[in-house]
Structures are given as structure tokens and as C-alpha cells.
Amino acid sequence: KYLFDAGLPMDHFLRGMRTNLYTDLQRGITSGAFTVVDTDLTTSMVAGGMLGMALDVYRRILPASTIDEGTARLLQQLGVKPARAKKLSTQEVAFLAPPPLPLTWPRGGAFGQATLPE
């Protein structure tokens, strides 16, 4: 909701999503979890599908109850068998706790110790 309410261009978000998705696809192919013929095309199709579903849920074109089915269908695009895709799409996921606030930068700032000319 915040992502779409901000009204920012989606290109930057989509580029980051595609980069992470591409890496995940490569790992899935290597492990045998995914069967993909063309990684670039699959990355494009799945990233577009994810963004499209997110926008449609946000705009209330689709109800949130369709997310699991959409996830299962996207997994099938990756070569996951339908029964496993359905199971994975409804699986509970344990998320890591975020770091405690306030966040601090290492000594020297975010980009290391700055040196000034003498």
C-alpha cells in the first residue's frame, strides 16, 4: 500500500525485484527446485506477474484472497508441480526480527572514515 500510495515510478522497484528474482531463480535451478528454460524471460514474466497482482490487489480489482492462488500459478511457471506449488503458496513463513531501533552507523559513518585534506 505504501509503495503504491507514494506515487513513485515503479521502474526502480521493478529493477531491484528483477535482480533479486534472477538470483533466486539461478539458485533454484542449481538446487533442482525450478525447471526454467530461459532465465531472463522467466524473470521478466514472474516479476511482471508479481507486480501486476500486487497492483490489482491494491486497486481492489482482485481480492486479497487470490494471492495464494496467484502465487501457486507463478510457482508453476517455474516448473514446480501443481500440488507442491499449492502447498508452498500457503506455507507459513517465519520472518527474521528486524534490528532494534535506533539503527546506528559504524564509526566513520555509513561509507567509512572520511579523510579531509590537511
Side-chain angles (χ1 to χ4, degrees):
K1 182 172 179 359
Y2 295 118
L3 179 69
F4 301 126
D5 279 347
L8 298 173
M10 287 290 107
D11 288 343
H12 183 71
F13 171 73
L14 191 56
R15 189 176 319 117
M17 183 169 63
R18 288 185 87 258
T19 300
N20 291 322
L21 180 60
Y22 185 88
T23 302
D24 290 344
L25 282 176
Q26 289 292 343
R27 288 192 341 228
I29 292 166
T30 301
S31 74
F34 301 145
T35 306
V36 173
V37 175
D38 185 329
T39 308
D40 290 323
L41 178 60
T42 303
T43 299
S44 179
M45 291 174 61
V46 172
M50 291 167 59
L51 182 59
M53 284 191 320
L55 275 168
D56 284 352
V57 169
Y58 169 74
R59 293 176 178 156
R60 300 182 185 197
I61 295 167
L62 291 173
S65 61
T66 62
I67 294 171
D68 290 346
E69 177 63 24
T71 301
R73 290 185 189 195
L74 288 173
L75 287 168
Q76 290 175 50
Q77 291 292 315
L78 303 176
V80 177
K81 293 186 183 341
R84 178 137 173 81
K86 185 171 179 74
K87 181 180 178 184
L88 289 171
S89 70
T90 59
Q91 183 174 331
E92 291 290 325
V93 177
F95 291 98
L96 298 174
L101 296 176
L103 300 177
T104 58
W105 294 108
R107 187 168 190 268
F111 302 106
Q113 183 67 36
T115 55
L116 299 175
E118 299 199 20

